Amino acid sequence: MNGDDSGNGDGNGSKLPATATNMYGYLLAGLIILVAGLLLLRRKKA
């Protein structure tokens, strides 16, 4: 032990794994489509 080890074993310590997803983008797109569909449905009934 030399005291400057970050504890992760690879010596890098700064790179994060690529785990990002487009979940929030898909959620927003789905919400917009849902609202548009509800508005069209309401207009069609009236």
Side-chain angles (χ1 to χ4, degrees), residues 2-17:
N2 56 8
D4 62 351
D5 188 24
S6 62
N8 58 7
D10 64 357
N12 187 346
S14 62
K15 186 171 173 120
L16 295 174

Side-chain angles (χ1 to χ4, degrees), residues 12 23 26 30:
N12 187 346
M23 181 185 66
Y26 293 144

